[in-house]
Amino acid sequence: MEIKSVGVIGAGQMGNGIAHVMATAGFDVLLNDISQDALDRAIATIDRNLERQVHRGQLSEADKADALSRIRPTTALAELGQLDLVIESATEKEAVKSGIFESLQPHLAPHTILATNTSSISITRLASRTDRPERFMGLHFMNPVPVMKLVELIRGIATDQKTYDLCLAIVHKLGKTAASSEDFPAFIVNRVLVPMINEACYVLYEGVGDVASIDSAMKLGANHPMGPLELADFIGLDTCLSIMQVLYDGLSDTKYRPCPLLVKYVEAGWLGRKSKRGFYDYNGDEPVPTR
């Protein structure tokens, strides 16, 4: 089997990035969202990001036009059912993801492979909600998708070798590097990264340092390109909290207990860059620490 057509469910930051890289690699892409406004914003974002690649000499104008022509937006989930591969990239909530797969199932072609871009949720459990757990994979792209080179490949307990090999070939065609992970909570990257962010939240919560000091310490003392609180705002504090909750629930270890301050920020709707306020306030010309 050769993968030629790809569906992407969810036109947010991750979904539009996945559509972008799939189209530039030559796949025909159907981008789905329940909101036409979200789809319009996604196409505009992809256009801007492709233009940025043109300015950097990474693509020609013809390449950009070709990539954009390969992406078709739709609000009709059923249209994705006959494609070769469908990647779900909706919000990091298991009930939402399971509901999407259940809604898509009656429309699926026998050959269609299903994948999820989840950053933490059990692949085995999501696969069990479908009629094809053997053709179900975790394809976890890093953010921002057009820039980051890694894709985590996660097999569920039932995933067959052919499905894994096809997904691995796609990662290579995208010019990215695959890291294979077992199906444990948060996989590899977020199992290491998000607890570090959570610990930075505790350092702030306990008054050991303020936002600026914590981020400066890790950038200059550990040579990190972004401080952990700045990174949390970039990822989305709600996503960070969801991953910590998956780790805490899945591994039953108190070292994964979400920081109460992180919980409060999410309860307040302070989700980071996407809400213009998190550990930094983004309403002005320059981000300003909120603590």
Side-chain angles (χ1 to χ4, degrees):
M1 177 182 172
E2 183 182 0
I3 304 295
K4 295 181 178 178
S5 58
V6 178
V8 180
I9 302 172
Q13 189 173 29
M14 295 302 295
N16 74 58
I18 295 169
H20 173 146
V21 298
M22 289 290 177
T24 55
F27 296 99
D28 293 323
V29 180
L30 201 53
L31 178 60
N32 167 263
D33 201 282
I34 57 174
S35 164
Q36 184 61 50
D37 286 345
L39 288 169
D40 293 342
R41 288 194 299 271
I43 296 299
T45 298
I46 293 168
D47 192 350
R48 287 195 304 273
N49 289 338
L50 286 168
E51 188 60 32
R52 189 174 292 119
Q53 290 181 304
V54 171
H55 283 312
R56 290 173 179 167
Q58 298 168 337
L59 292 176
S60 67
E61 287 288 355
D63 292 333
K64 175 189 171 183
D66 184 54
L68 281 173
S69 73
R70 290 182 178 277
I71 302 171
R72 183 167 70 86
T74 179
T75 56
L77 184 64
E79 289 190 36
L80 280 65
Q82 300 302 303
L83 304 180
D84 299 327
L85 170 67
V86 178
I87 304 171
E88 170 276 318
S89 187
T91 187
E92 191 67 2
K93 293 181 180 176
E94 186 168 346
V96 173
K97 293 178 182 295
S98 294
I100 287 170
F101 288 120
E102 287 167 9
S103 297
L104 183 62
Q105 186 163 300
H107 310 287
L108 290 173
H111 73 282
T112 303
I113 293 172
L114 297 177
T116 175
N117 185 50
T118 181
S119 54
S120 62
I121 298 168
S122 167
I123 303 304
T124 299
R125 203 160 57 238
L126 288 173
S128 72
R129 310 290 208 278
T130 76
D131 65 345
R132 59 197 67 206
E134 73 283 358
R135 293 196 299 283
F136 192 105
M137 276 285 298
L139 270 175
H140 179 215
F141 291 81
M142 304 296 116
N143 185 27
V145 180
V147 175
M148 301 295 280
K149 295 297 184 183
L150 183 73
V151 180
E152 285 183 313
L153 289 181
I154 310 101
R155 278 185 274 211
I157 196 169
T159 306
D160 63 25
Q161 187 63 39
K162 181 180 177 183
T163 299
Y164 175 84
D165 290 343
L166 282 167
C167 289
L168 179 61
I170 288 169
V171 173
H172 290 158
K173 188 172 181 180
L174 296 177
K176 297 186 182 293
T177 299
S180 295
S181 170
E182 294 299 318
D183 186 19
F184 283 88
F187 319 129
I188 296 171
V189 172
N190 283 328
R191 174 78 177 266
V192 175
L193 176 66
V194 180
M196 182 198 74
I197 289 171
N198 193 57
E199 192 62 27
C201 295
Y202 269 113
V203 171
L204 179 63
Y205 177 60
E206 294 168 3
V208 179
D210 60 18
V211 169
S213 295
I214 294 166
D215 278 351
S216 292
M218 293 307 294
K219 284 192 285 188
L220 301 178
N223 205 28
H224 290 192
M226 297 174 71
L229 301 177
E230 180 186 7
L231 180 58
D233 277 357
F234 180 75
I235 295 169
L237 303 194
D238 52 340
T239 300
C240 292
L241 178 58
S242 292
I243 294 168
M244 287 307 302
Q245 288 168 331
V246 166
L247 282 165
Y248 191 44
D249 294 342
L251 299 172
S252 301
D253 192 325
T254 55
K255 73 180 181 180
Y256 298 117
R257 183 171 67 96
C259 177
L261 183 61
L262 177 60
V263 175
K264 286 295 181 189
Y265 269 54
V266 173
E267 288 176 343
W270 292 16
L271 307 181
R273 286 182 177 270
K274 60 187 172 185
S275 66
K276 303 249 182 234
R277 187 183 292 266
F279 291 113
Y280 292 84
D281 187 321
Y282 298 92
N283 285 293
D285 293 335
E286 294 290 335
V288 177
T290 52
R291 281 180 177 254

